Amino acid sequence: MSDAAIQLQDVSKRFRLAHHPVATLKGAVASFWKRRFEDLWALKSLSLEVPRGQTLAVVGRNGSGKSTLLGLIGRIYLPTAGHIEIHGRVAALLELGAGFHPDLTGEQNVLLNGVILGMRERDVRKSLDDIIHFAELEKFRDAPLRSYSAGMTMRLGFAVAVFTDPQILLIDEVLAVGDQAFQAKCLREIQRFQESGRTIVFVSHDLDTVRRVSGRAIWLHEGALRADGDPEAVVKEYLSATA
Amino acid sequence: MLEDLRELWRYRDLVRSLVMRDLTVRYKNSVLGFFWSLANPLVQVATITIIYKYVLQIGIPNYSAYVLCAFLPWMFFQMSLSDAGESVARQYDLLRKVYFPREALAIASVFANLIHLLLAFGVFFVYLLWLGVSIQAGWLLLPVVILANLAFVMGLAFFVSALSVFYEDMTYLVGVSTSLFFYMCPVLYVTEQIRNKMIPQHWQPIIWEVYHWNPMAIFIEGYRQLLLPPFHAKNLNDLPIEPRYIVISVVLSVAVLIAGYAFFNAKKWQFAERP
């Protein structure tokens, strides 16, 4: 076995777009014969290997397949064709606070979100104090989530995801959480992740962050790999092509 | 399917946390909340009792106990299906962001209702003792009926929750079907009343047979016969459930459970990419 954290082999992903969207059972029965799909290939035969400990940035225009790639690595979708191998536990920082419930307290939400991300409950309980401390929400620990501001909710979500201690971290455009101070804290946390040999795959339109944080970048264009290599070079190529 | 079960077992804490979430939200974090949630079935049973006892003059002593004994499992059936229908569809945003075994949502919504049923049965036992019903050995068989009932409800819940993701009107359809199904279960009446002079002689065996192929009807009848003494009504003989109907209902329930889980598993990775 090689030292790869993520291996994709000729992976393709097709989404079906319905021309007559059938949202009701009645409609499905009525339009059974004239139902037509349009196939959308979000990824076309993509092969990619991410070694353990690498920070990979994915750039590309909207609809180029970046989020689909993260979704496939995060096992939200199954590939239509091809083969994916993941070594290690994956946590997605796709959108923070998904799965929070407004009527539960901050503490109850941390416990729930931790197990949603695949942790054992007793492990979440052990890190409970640290998570709440990291999110700087000690005062609001027993307050229902609906009394939290948007920034507070995001801080809590980020804190839980960081403390689930994944080997592979997926980040989809969410580095801009909270105020300046908390953002700096998040970036430090991501650096700590890198230093401890974790693998990170992140999608960003912020090319400065791409240059600063990643060790390798790929450029996706219409579901296929257009460039792969040094972030500086890939970003330059991407910029010159879109300009 | 074995692989799915193993993965589900790895996420057993998730199921437990989701059950706890459902119950804390439903009971609003308080013991009083549990009793408050019993208000709805109690008011309904009180109304049914008054109408059947004094308006329709059904003539079964302690009729309220017979209604309540059937109504609690009925609530379990109805609430489980409506909650399961919403369970996955309501968490749609979560499905598109995080990996976890999707069936945890459907299972948790049924289990939360199961715990509610058990708590409600606890209150029911107090009511029985207050009515003067003595403790019976048959009560020990109660877990068996509950397990079979759970299998049946869980199987249906898998179908309902998976279909609700793709079809918006599923919730409506389930609501209408369960309210009709209500009359096919012996809640407002007792099974023995199906044998009566109003039904033509040659139809009676067929209707009797078809009626008993409904697992939910058998379970409700089972709860009644285990928990309550024969009702000793005038013009109505108590009939024990025929053993073959018990076998049929258990076999059907297990079949529904397996079919439901297989159906759910076949669909669950398409949830996040519905057209």
Side-chain angles (χ1 to χ4, degrees), chain A residues 144-167:
Chain A
L145 203 81
R146 77 180 106 78
S147 66
Y148 281 36
S149 71
M152 285 157 77
T153 313
M154 286 199 264
R155 257 148 55 198
L156 198 63
F158 185 83
V160 179
V162 163
F163 275 88
T164 55
D165 203 28
Q167 278 105 48

Side-chain angles (χ1 to χ4, degrees), chain A residues 13 15-16 23-26 28 74-76 78 94-95 98-99 101 104 108 112 115-116 118 120-121, chain B residues 11-14 16-17 21 24-25 29 94-99 166-169 173 269 272-273 275:
Chain A
K13 180 66 195 167
F15 289 105
R16 319 200 88 163
T24 65
L25 204 57
K26 200 176 72 183
R75 294 197 291 171
I76 291 163
L78 292 178
L94 295 164
E95 203 159 304
H101 195 289
L104 298 180
Q108 287 167 334
L112 181 62
V115 289
I116 287 176
R120 297 302 312 272
E121 198 187 324
Chain B
Y11 273 81
R12 60 193 179 278
D13 279 10
L14 173 60
R16 201 177 51 211
S17 299
R21 180 196 67 180
T24 25
V25 170
N29 273 321
L94 187 60
L95 295 190
R96 300 178 59 137
K97 281 156 204 152
V98 190
Y99 166 88
F166 300 106
Y167 303 115
E168 271 173 13
D169 55 350
L173 203 72
W269 299 117
E273 46 183 281

